[in-house]
Coordinates of all heavy atoms in Angstrom, one line a residue:
M1 N 83.4 127.8 110.0 CA 83.6 129.2 110.4 C 82.2 129.9 110.5 O 81.4 129.8 109.5 CB 84.5 129.9 109.5 CG 85.0 131.3 110.0 SD 85.9 132.2 108.8 CE 84.6 132.9 107.9
A2 N 81.8 130.4 111.5 CA 80.5 131.1 111.7 C 80.6 132.5 111.0 O 81.5 133.2 111.0 CB 80.2 131.4 113.1
P3 N 79.5 132.7 110.2 CA 79.4 134.0 109.5 C 79.2 135.2 110.4 O 78.6 135.0 111.5 CB 78.2 133.8 108.6 CG 77.3 132.8 109.3 CD 78.2 131.9 110.0
S4 N 79.7 136.3 110.0 CA 79.5 137.5 110.8 C 78.9 138.6 109.9 O 79.2 138.6 108.7 CB 80.8 138.0 111.5 OG 81.8 138.2 110.5
C5 N 78.3 139.5 110.5 CA 77.6 140.6 109.7 C 78.7 141.5 109.0 O 79.6 142.0 109.7 CB 76.7 141.4 110.6 SG 76.0 142.8 109.7
P6 N 78.6 141.7 107.7 CA 79.6 142.5 107.0 C 79.4 144.0 107.4 O 80.3 144.8 107.1 CB 79.3 142.3 105.5 CG 77.9 141.7 105.5 CD 77.6 141.1 106.8
V7 N 78.3 144.4 108.0 CA 78.0 145.8 108.3 C 78.5 146.1 109.7 O 79.3 147.0 110.0 CB 76.5 146.1 108.1 CG1 76.2 147.6 108.6 CG2 76.2 146.0 106.7
C8 N 77.9 145.3 110.7 CA 78.2 145.6 112.1 C 79.1 144.6 112.8 O 79.4 144.7 114.0 CB 76.9 145.9 112.9 SG 76.0 144.3 113.1
R9 N 79.5 143.6 112.1 CA 80.4 142.6 112.6 C 79.8 141.7 113.6 O 80.5 141.0 114.4 CB 81.7 143.1 113.1 CG 82.6 143.9 112.1 CD 83.2 143.0 111.1 NE 83.5 143.7 109.8 CZ 83.6 143.1 108.7 NH1 83.5 141.8 108.5 NH2 83.8 143.8 107.5
S10 N 78.5 141.7 113.8 CA 77.9 140.9 114.8 C 77.9 139.5 114.3 O 77.9 139.1 113.1 CB 76.4 141.4 114.9 OG 75.6 140.4 115.6
V11 N 78.0 138.6 115.3 CA 78.0 137.1 115.0 C 76.6 136.5 115.3 O 76.4 135.4 115.2 CB 79.1 136.4 115.8 CG1 80.5 136.8 115.2 CG2 79.0 136.7 117.3
R12 N 75.7 137.4 115.7 CA 74.3 136.9 115.9 C 73.6 136.9 114.6 O 72.9 137.8 114.2 CB 73.6 137.8 116.9 CG 74.1 137.7 118.3 CD 73.4 138.7 119.2 NE 71.9 138.6 119.2 CZ 71.1 139.7 119.4 NH1 71.6 140.8 119.7 NH2 69.8 139.4 119.4
I13 N 73.8 135.8 113.9 CA 73.3 135.7 112.5 C 72.2 134.6 112.5 O 72.4 133.5 113.0 CB 74.5 135.3 111.5 CG1 75.6 136.3 111.6 CG2 73.9 135.1 110.1 CD1 75.1 137.8 111.2
E14 N 71.1 134.9 111.8 CA 70.1 134.0 111.6 C 70.2 133.4 110.2 O 70.5 134.1 109.3 CB 68.7 134.6 111.8 CG 68.5 135.2 113.1 CD 67.2 136.2 113.1 OE1 66.7 136.5 112.0 OE2 66.8 136.7 114.2
T15 N 70.0 132.1 110.1 CA 70.1 131.5 108.8 C 68.6 131.4 108.2 O 67.7 130.9 108.8 CB 70.7 130.1 108.9 OG1 71.9 130.2 109.5 CG2 70.9 129.5 107.5
R16 N 68.5 131.9 107.0 CA 67.2 131.8 106.4 C 67.3 130.8 105.2 O 68.1 130.9 104.4 CB 66.8 133.1 105.8 CG 67.0 134.3 106.8 CD 66.4 135.6 106.2 NE 66.9 135.9 104.9 CZ 66.4 136.8 104.1 NH1 65.3 137.5 104.6 NH2 66.9 137.1 103.0
Q17 N 66.5 129.8 105.3 CA 66.6 128.7 104.3 C 65.4 128.5 103.6 O 64.7 127.5 103.5 CB 67.0 127.4 105.0 CG 68.4 127.4 105.7 CD 68.9 126.1 106.2 OE1 68.1 125.4 106.9 NE2 70.1 125.7 105.9
Y18 N 65.0 129.6 102.9 CA 63.7 129.6 102.2 C 63.8 128.6 101.0 O 62.9 127.8 100.9 CB 63.5 131.0 101.5 CG 63.2 132.1 102.6 CD1 63.7 133.4 102.3 CD2 62.4 131.8 103.6 CE1 63.4 134.4 103.2 CE2 62.1 132.8 104.5 CZ 62.6 134.1 104.4 OH 62.3 135.1 105.3
G19 N 64.9 128.6 100.3 CA 65.0 127.7 99.2 C 64.9 126.2 99.6 O 64.3 125.5 99.0
K20 N 65.6 125.9 100.7 CA 65.6 124.6 101.2 C 64.2 124.1 101.6 O 63.7 123.0 101.3 CB 66.6 124.5 102.4 CG 66.9 123.0 102.7 CD 67.9 123.0 103.9 CE 68.2 121.6 104.2 NZ 69.2 121.5 105.3
K21 N 63.5 125.0 102.3 CA 62.2 124.6 102.8 C 61.2 124.5 101.6 O 60.5 123.5 101.5 CB 61.6 125.8 103.7 CG 62.2 125.7 105.1 CD 61.8 126.9 105.9 CE 62.6 127.0 107.2 NZ 62.5 128.3 107.8
V22 N 61.2 125.5 100.7 CA 60.3 125.5 99.5 C 60.7 124.3 98.7 O 59.8 123.5 98.2 CB 60.4 126.8 98.7 CG1 59.6 126.7 97.5 CG2 59.9 128.0 99.6
G23 N 61.9 124.1 98.4 CA 62.4 123.0 97.6 C 62.0 121.7 98.2 O 61.6 120.8 97.5
G24 N 62.2 121.6 99.5 CA 61.8 120.3 100.1 C 60.3 120.0 100.0 O 59.9 118.9 99.8
T25 N 59.5 121.1 100.1 CA 58.1 120.9 100.0 C 57.7 120.5 98.6 O 56.9 119.5 98.4 CB 57.3 122.2 100.4 OG1 57.8 122.6 101.7 CG2 55.9 122.0 100.5
I26 N 58.2 121.3 97.7 CA 57.9 121.0 96.3 C 58.4 119.6 95.9 O 57.7 118.8 95.2 CB 58.6 122.0 95.3 CG1 57.9 123.3 95.5 CG2 58.5 121.6 93.9 CD1 58.6 124.5 94.8
G27 N 59.5 119.3 96.4 CA 60.2 117.9 96.0 C 59.3 116.8 96.7 O 59.1 115.8 96.0
A28 N 58.8 117.1 97.9 CA 57.9 116.0 98.6 C 56.7 115.8 97.7 O 56.2 114.7 97.5 CB 57.6 116.4 100.0
V29 N 56.1 116.9 97.3 CA 54.8 116.8 96.5 C 55.1 116.1 95.2 O 54.4 115.2 94.8 CB 54.2 118.2 96.4 CG1 53.0 118.1 95.4 CG2 53.8 118.8 97.7
A30 N 56.2 116.5 94.6 CA 56.5 116.0 93.3 C 56.9 114.5 93.4 O 56.4 113.6 92.7 CB 57.7 116.7 92.6
G31 N 57.6 114.2 94.5 CA 58.0 112.8 94.8 C 56.8 111.9 95.1 O 56.7 110.9 94.6
A32 N 55.9 112.5 95.9 CA 54.6 111.7 96.2 C 53.8 111.5 95.0 O 53.2 110.4 94.8 CB 53.9 112.4 97.3
T33 N 53.8 112.5 94.1 CA 53.1 112.3 92.8 C 53.6 111.3 91.9 O 52.9 110.4 91.4 CB 53.0 113.7 92.0 OG1 52.6 114.7 93.0 CG2 52.0 113.6 90.9
S34 N 55.0 111.4 91.8 CA 55.6 110.4 91.0 C 55.6 109.0 91.6 O 55.5 108.0 91.1 CB 57.1 110.8 90.6 OG 57.8 110.9 91.8
G35 N 55.5 109.1 93.0 CA 55.4 107.9 93.8 C 54.0 107.2 93.5 O 53.9 106.0 93.5
A36 N 53.0 108.0 93.3 CA 51.7 107.5 92.9 C 51.8 106.6 91.7 O 51.0 105.6 91.6 CB 50.7 108.7 92.7
A37 N 52.6 107.0 90.8 CA 52.8 106.2 89.6 C 53.4 104.9 90.0 O 53.1 103.8 89.4 CB 53.7 106.9 88.6
L38 N 54.3 105.0 91.0 CA 54.9 103.7 91.4 C 54.0 102.8 92.2 O 54.2 101.6 92.4 CB 56.1 104.0 92.3 CG 57.4 104.6 91.5 CD1 58.4 105.0 92.6 CD2 57.9 103.6 90.6
V39 N 52.9 103.5 92.8 CA 52.0 102.8 93.6 C 51.4 101.6 92.8 O 51.2 100.4 93.4 CB 50.8 103.7 94.0 CG1 49.6 102.9 94.5 CG2 51.3 104.6 95.2
L40 N 51.0 101.8 91.5 CA 50.5 100.7 90.7 C 51.4 99.5 90.7 O 51.0 98.4 90.9 CB 50.2 101.3 89.4 CG 49.0 102.2 89.2 CD1 48.8 102.8 87.8 CD2 47.7 101.6 89.7
S41 N 52.7 99.8 90.3 CA 53.6 98.6 90.3 C 53.9 98.1 91.7 O 54.1 96.9 91.8 CB 54.9 99.1 89.6 OG 55.4 100.2 90.2
G42 N 53.9 99.0 92.6 CA 54.1 98.5 94.1 C 53.0 97.6 94.5 O 53.2 96.7 95.1
A43 N 51.8 98.1 94.1 CA 50.6 97.3 94.5 C 50.6 96.0 93.8 O 50.3 94.9 94.4 CB 49.3 98.1 94.1
E44 N 51.1 96.0 92.6 CA 51.1 94.7 91.8 C 52.2 93.8 92.4 O 51.9 92.6 92.6 CB 51.6 95.1 90.4 CG 51.1 94.2 89.3 CD 51.2 94.9 87.9 OE1 52.3 94.7 87.4 OE2 50.3 95.5 87.5
V45 N 53.4 94.3 92.7 CA 54.4 93.5 93.3 C 53.9 92.9 94.7 O 54.1 91.8 95.0 CB 55.7 94.3 93.5 CG1 56.7 93.4 94.3 CG2 56.3 94.6 92.1
G46 N 53.3 93.8 95.5 CA 52.8 93.5 96.8 C 51.7 92.4 96.6 O 51.7 91.4 97.4
A47 N 50.8 92.5 95.7 CA 49.8 91.6 95.4 C 50.3 90.3 95.1 O 49.8 89.2 95.6 CB 48.8 92.1 94.4
I48 N 51.3 90.3 94.2 CA 51.9 89.0 93.8 C 52.6 88.3 95.0 O 52.4 87.1 95.2 CB 53.0 89.2 92.6 CG1 52.2 89.6 91.4 CG2 53.7 88.0 92.4 CD1 53.0 90.2 90.3
A49 N 53.4 89.1 95.8 CA 54.0 88.6 96.9 C 53.0 88.1 97.9 O 53.2 87.0 98.6 CB 54.9 89.6 97.5
G50 N 52.0 88.9 98.1 CA 51.0 88.5 99.1 C 50.1 87.3 98.7 O 49.5 86.6 99.5
A51 N 50.0 87.1 97.4 CA 49.1 86.0 96.8 C 49.5 84.7 97.4 O 48.7 83.8 97.5 CB 49.2 86.0 95.3
V52 N 50.8 84.5 97.8 CA 51.3 83.3 98.4 C 50.4 82.9 99.6 O 50.2 81.9 100.0 CB 52.8 83.4 98.7 CG1 53.3 82.1 99.3 CG2 53.6 83.7 97.4
A53 N 50.1 84.1 100.3 CA 49.4 83.9 101.6 C 47.9 83.9 101.4 O 47.2 83.9 102.4 CB 49.8 85.0 102.6
G54 N 47.5 83.8 100.2 CA 46.0 83.8 100.0 C 45.4 85.2 99.6 O 46.2 86.2 99.6
P55 N 44.1 85.3 99.4 CA 43.4 86.5 99.0 C 43.7 87.6 100.0 O 43.9 88.8 99.7 CB 41.9 86.2 99.0 CG 41.9 84.7 98.9 CD 43.1 84.2 99.5
V56 N 43.6 87.3 101.3 CA 43.8 88.4 102.4 C 45.2 88.9 102.2 O 45.5 90.1 102.3 CB 43.6 87.8 103.7 CG1 43.8 88.9 104.8 CG2 42.1 87.4 103.9
G57 N 46.2 88.0 102.1 CA 47.6 88.3 101.9 C 47.8 89.2 100.7 O 48.6 90.1 100.7
S58 N 47.1 88.9 99.7 CA 47.2 89.6 98.4 C 46.7 91.1 98.6 O 47.4 92.0 98.2 CB 46.3 88.9 97.3 OG 46.5 89.6 96.1
A59 N 45.6 91.3 99.2 CA 45.1 92.6 99.5 C 46.1 93.4 100.4 O 46.4 94.6 100.2 CB 43.7 92.6 100.1
F60 N 46.5 92.7 101.5 CA 47.4 93.3 102.4 C 48.7 93.7 101.7 O 49.3 94.8 101.9 CB 47.7 92.4 103.5 CG 48.5 93.0 104.7 CD1 48.0 93.9 105.5 CD2 49.9 92.6 104.8 CE1 48.7 94.5 106.5 CE2 50.6 93.2 105.8 CZ 50.0 94.1 106.7
G61 N 49.2 92.8 100.8 CA 50.4 93.1 100.1 C 50.3 94.3 99.2 O 51.2 95.0 99.0
A62 N 49.1 94.4 98.5 CA 48.8 95.5 97.6 C 48.9 96.8 98.4 O 49.5 97.8 97.9 CB 47.5 95.4 97.0
I63 N 48.2 96.9 99.5 CA 48.2 98.1 100.3 C 49.6 98.4 100.8 O 50.1 99.6 100.7 CB 47.3 97.9 101.6 CG1 45.8 97.8 101.1 CG2 47.4 99.1 102.6 CD1 44.8 97.3 102.1
T64 N 50.3 97.4 101.3 CA 51.7 97.7 101.8 C 52.5 98.1 100.7 O 53.3 99.2 100.8 CB 52.3 96.4 102.4 OG1 51.4 95.9 103.3 CG2 53.6 96.6 103.0
G65 N 52.5 97.6 99.5 CA 53.2 98.0 98.4 C 52.9 99.4 97.9 O 53.9 100.2 97.6
S66 N 51.7 99.8 98.0 CA 51.2 101.1 97.6 C 51.8 102.2 98.6 O 52.4 103.2 98.2 CB 49.7 101.3 97.7 OG 49.1 100.3 96.8
V67 N 51.7 101.9 99.9 CA 52.1 102.9 100.9 C 53.7 103.0 100.9 O 54.2 104.1 100.9 CB 51.8 102.3 102.3 CG1 52.4 103.1 103.4 CG2 50.3 102.4 102.5
L68 N 54.4 101.9 100.6 CA 55.8 102.0 100.5 C 56.2 102.8 99.4 O 57.1 103.6 99.4 CB 56.4 100.6 100.4 CG 56.6 99.8 101.7 CD1 57.1 98.4 101.4 CD2 57.6 100.5 102.6
A69 N 55.5 102.6 98.2 CA 55.8 103.4 97.0 C 55.6 104.9 97.2 O 56.5 105.7 96.8 CB 55.0 102.9 95.8
M70 N 54.6 105.3 97.9 CA 54.3 106.6 98.3 C 55.4 107.2 99.2 O 55.9 108.3 99.0 CB 52.9 106.8 98.9 CG 51.7 106.6 98.0 SD 51.5 108.1 96.9 CE 50.6 109.2 98.0
L71 N 55.7 106.5 100.2 CA 56.7 106.9 101.2 C 58.1 107.2 100.5 O 58.7 108.2 100.7 CB 56.8 105.9 102.4 CG 55.7 106.0 103.3 CD1 55.9 104.9 104.4 CD2 55.5 107.3 104.0
I72 N 58.4 106.2 99.7 CA 59.7 106.2 99.1 C 59.7 107.4 98.1 O 60.7 108.2 98.0 CB 60.0 104.9 98.4 CG1 60.3 103.8 99.4 CG2 61.3 105.0 97.5 CD1 60.3 102.3 98.8
G73 N 58.7 107.5 97.3 CA 58.6 108.6 96.4 C 58.7 109.9 97.0 O 59.4 110.9 96.6
G74 N 57.9 110.1 98.1 CA 57.9 111.4 98.8 C 59.2 111.7 99.5 O 59.7 112.8 99.4
A75 N 59.8 110.7 100.2 CA 61.1 111.0 100.8 C 62.2 111.3 99.8 O 63.0 112.2 100.1 CB 61.5 109.7 101.6
T76 N 62.2 110.5 98.7 CA 63.2 110.8 97.7 C 63.1 112.2 97.1 O 64.0 112.9 97.0 CB 63.1 109.7 96.6 OG1 63.1 108.4 97.2 CG2 64.3 109.9 95.6
G77 N 61.8 112.5 96.8 CA 61.5 113.8 96.2 C 61.9 114.9 97.2 O 62.5 116.0 96.8
C78 N 61.6 114.7 98.5 CA 61.9 115.8 99.5 C 63.4 116.0 99.6 O 63.8 117.1 99.7 CB 61.3 115.4 100.8 SG 61.4 116.6 102.1
A79 N 64.1 114.9 99.6 CA 65.6 115.0 99.7 C 66.2 115.7 98.5 O 67.0 116.6 98.7 CB 66.2 113.6 99.9
A80 N 65.7 115.3 97.4 CA 66.1 116.0 96.1 C 65.8 117.4 96.1 O 66.6 118.3 95.7 CB 65.6 115.2 94.9
G81 N 64.5 117.7 96.5 CA 64.1 119.1 96.5 C 64.9 119.9 97.5 O 65.3 121.1 97.2
A82 N 65.1 119.4 98.6 CA 65.8 120.2 99.7 C 67.2 120.4 99.2 O 67.8 121.5 99.4 CB 65.8 119.4 101.0
A83 N 67.9 119.4 98.6 CA 69.3 119.6 98.1 C 69.3 120.7 97.0 O 70.2 121.5 97.0 CB 69.7 118.2 97.5
F84 N 68.3 120.6 96.1 CA 68.2 121.7 95.1 C 68.0 123.0 95.7 O 68.7 124.0 95.3 CB 67.1 121.3 94.1 CG 66.9 122.3 93.0 CD1 67.8 122.4 92.0 CD2 65.8 123.2 93.0 CE1 67.7 123.3 90.9 CE2 65.7 124.1 92.0 CZ 66.6 124.1 91.0
G85 N 67.1 123.1 96.7 CA 66.8 124.4 97.4 C 68.0 124.9 98.1 O 68.3 126.1 98.1
E86 N 68.8 124.0 98.6 CA 70.0 124.5 99.3 C 71.0 125.1 98.4 O 71.7 126.1 98.7 CB 70.7 123.2 100.0 CG 71.3 123.5 101.3 CD 71.7 122.3 102.1 OE1 71.2 121.2 101.7 OE2 72.4 122.4 103.1
V87 N 71.1 124.6 97.1 CA 71.9 125.2 96.1 C 71.4 126.6 95.8 O 72.2 127.5 95.7 CB 71.9 124.2 94.9 CG1 72.7 125.0 93.7 CG2 72.6 123.0 95.2
I88 N 70.1 126.7 95.7 CA 69.5 128.1 95.5 C 69.9 129.0 96.6 O 70.3 130.1 96.4 CB 68.0 127.9 95.4 CG1 67.6 127.0 94.2 CG2 67.3 129.3 95.1 CD1 67.9 127.5 92.8
D89 N 69.7 128.4 97.8 CA 70.0 129.3 99.0 C 71.5 129.8 98.9 O 71.8 130.9 99.2 CB 69.9 128.4 100.3 CG 68.4 128.3 100.8 OD1 67.7 129.3 100.5 OD2 68.1 127.3 101.4
D90 N 72.4 128.8 98.6 CA 73.8 129.2 98.6 C 74.2 130.2 97.5 O 75.0 131.0 97.7 CB 74.7 127.9 98.4 CG 74.7 127.1 99.7 OD1 74.3 127.6 100.8 OD2 75.1 125.9 99.6
N91 N 73.5 130.0 96.4 CA 74.0 130.8 95.2 C 73.1 132.0 94.8 O 73.6 132.9 94.2 CB 74.1 129.8 94.0 CG 75.2 128.8 94.3 OD1 76.3 129.0 94.3 ND2 74.7 127.5 94.3
V92 N 71.9 131.9 95.2 CA 71.0 133.0 94.7 C 70.4 133.8 95.8 O 70.5 135.1 95.6 CB 69.8 132.3 93.9 CG1 68.8 133.4 93.4 CG2 70.3 131.4 92.8
L93 N 69.9 133.3 96.8 CA 69.3 134.0 97.9 C 70.2 134.6 98.9 O 71.3 134.0 99.1 CB 68.2 133.2 98.5 CG 67.1 132.7 97.6 CD1 66.2 131.7 98.4 CD2 66.3 133.8 97.0
D94 N 69.8 135.6 99.5 CA 70.5 136.0 100.7 C 70.2 135.1 101.9 O 69.1 135.0 102.3 CB 70.1 137.5 101.1 CG 70.7 138.5 100.1 OD1 71.7 138.3 99.5 OD2 70.0 139.6 100.1
K95 N 71.3 134.4 102.2 CA 71.0 133.3 103.2 C 71.0 133.7 104.6 O 70.4 133.1 105.4 CB 72.2 132.2 102.9 CG 72.0 130.9 103.6 CD 73.1 130.0 103.2 CE 72.9 128.6 103.7 NZ 74.1 127.7 103.3
Y96 N 71.7 134.7 104.9 CA 71.9 135.1 106.3 C 71.3 136.5 106.6 O 71.2 137.3 105.8 CB 73.4 135.1 106.7 CG 74.1 133.8 106.5 CD1 75.1 133.7 105.5 CD2 73.8 132.7 107.3 CE1 75.7 132.5 105.3 CE2 74.4 131.5 107.1 CZ 75.4 131.4 106.1 OH 76.1 130.3 105.9
R97 N 70.8 136.6 107.9 CA 70.3 137.9 108.3 C 70.9 138.2 109.7 O 70.9 137.4 110.6 CB 68.7 137.7 108.5 CG 68.1 139.0 108.9 CD 66.6 138.8 109.0 NE 65.9 140.0 109.5 CZ 65.9 140.4 110.8 NH1 66.4 139.6 111.7 NH2 65.3 141.5 111.1
C98 N 71.4 139.4 109.7 CA 71.9 139.9 111.0 C 70.8 140.2 112.0 O 69.9 140.9 111.7 CB 72.8 141.2 110.8 SG 73.5 141.8 112.3
A99 N 70.9 139.6 113.2 CA 69.9 139.7 114.2 C 70.1 141.1 114.9 O 69.2 141.6 115.5 CB 70.0 138.7 115.3
D100 N 71.2 141.8 114.7 CA 71.4 143.1 115.3 C 71.0 144.2 114.5 O 70.3 145.2 114.9 CB 72.8 143.3 115.7 CG 73.2 142.4 117.0 OD1 72.2 142.2 117.8 OD2 74.3 142.0 117.1
C101 N 71.3 144.3 113.2 CA 71.0 145.4 112.3 C 70.1 145.0 111.2 O 69.6 145.9 110.5 CB 72.3 146.0 111.8 SG 73.1 145.0 110.5
G102 N 69.7 143.7 111.1 CA 68.8 143.4 110.1 C 69.3 143.2 108.7 O 68.5 142.9 107.8
Y103 N 70.6 143.4 108.5 CA 71.2 143.3 107.2 C 71.1 141.8 106.7 O 71.4 141.0 107.5 CB 72.6 143.8 107.3 CG 73.3 143.8 105.9 CD1 73.1 144.9 105.0 CD2 74.2 142.9 105.6 CE1 73.7 144.9 103.8 CE2 74.9 142.9 104.3 CZ 74.7 143.9 103.4 OH 75.3 143.9 102.2
T104 N 70.8 141.7 105.4 CA 70.8 140.3 104.9 C 71.9 140.2 103.8 O 72.2 141.1 103.1 CB 69.4 140.0 104.2 OG1 69.2 141.0 103.2 CG2 68.3 139.9 105.1
F105 N 72.5 139.0 103.9 CA 73.6 138.8 102.9 C 73.8 137.3 102.7 O 73.3 136.5 103.3 CB 75.0 139.3 103.6 CG 75.3 138.8 104.9 CD1 76.2 137.8 105.1 CD2 74.7 139.1 106.1 CE1 76.5 137.2 106.3 CE2 74.9 138.6 107.3 CZ 75.9 137.6 107.4
G106 N 74.5 137.1 101.5 CA 74.7 135.7 101.1 C 75.9 135.1 101.7 O 76.6 135.7 102.6
S107 N 76.1 133.8 101.5 CA 77.2 133.1 102.1 C 78.6 133.5 101.5 O 79.6 133.3 102.1 CB 77.0 131.6 101.9 OG 76.8 131.2 100.6
R108 N 78.5 134.1 100.3 CA 79.7 134.6 99.7 C 79.7 136.1 99.7 O 78.7 136.7 99.4 CB 79.9 134.1 98.3 CG 80.2 132.6 98.2 CD 80.3 132.1 96.8 NE 79.1 132.4 96.1 CZ 78.9 131.9 94.8 NH1 79.8 131.3 94.2 NH2 77.7 132.2 94.2
P109 N 80.9 136.7 100.0 CA 80.9 138.1 100.0 C 80.7 138.7 98.5 O 81.2 138.1 97.6 CB 82.3 138.5 100.4 CG 83.1 137.3 100.3 CD 82.1 136.1 100.4
S110 N 79.9 139.7 98.4 CA 79.5 140.1 97.0 C 80.2 141.4 96.8 O 80.5 142.2 97.7 CB 78.0 140.2 96.8 OG 77.4 141.0 97.9
Ligands
ZN201 ZN1 74.7 143.6 111.4

């Protein structure tokens, strides 16, 4: 069901997802940071796996493992942060803004 403005009944409603955006950004940073901790183990695993192919394979494996750890950490953190921010949007912030009268309101009638 599309939300409508409680003041003027307009259905031209903009969704403001501050929490989701901020949460996603914070989560991505936090995830990449914790991913950096995984980089060491990722590099280690990659180096061991790559060692089968010789020294070049070992270096390549270490880089691949590091990058993967960063990507996975960042993506996981971003998803978690966005999900958390969405909860904030739903429960705390005024999520919707009326394009006609400028009134802001949450998803639940207050
Ligand atoms: Zn309105």
Side-chain angles (χ1 to χ4, degrees):
M1 193 185 85
S4 59
C5 178
V7 173
C8 68
R9 299 290 156 204
S10 168
V11 290
R12 289 175 55 207
I13 302 300
E14 298 165 353
T15 306
R16 312 190 305 168
Q17 297 185 311
Y18 292 142
K20 193 176 181 181
K21 284 173 192 163
V22 172
T25 307
I26 293 171
V29 172
T33 308
S34 63
L38 292 172
V39 163
L40 290 175
S41 56
E44 212 164 83
V45 172
I48 293 166
V52 180
V56 176
S58 182
F60 186 74
I63 293 165
T64 308
S66 304
V67 170
L68 278 177
M70 286 287 277
L71 286 178
I72 291 167
T76 308
C78 185
F84 179 73
E86 217 169 346
V87 172
I88 301 291
D89 279 335
D90 283 344
N91 297 294
V92 181
L93 301 174
D94 286 335
K95 192 176 183 179
Y96 301 110
R97 181 181 178 278
C98 176
D100 285 330
C101 72
Y103 183 78
T104 55
F105 57 102
S107 50
R108 286 180 302 187
S110 53

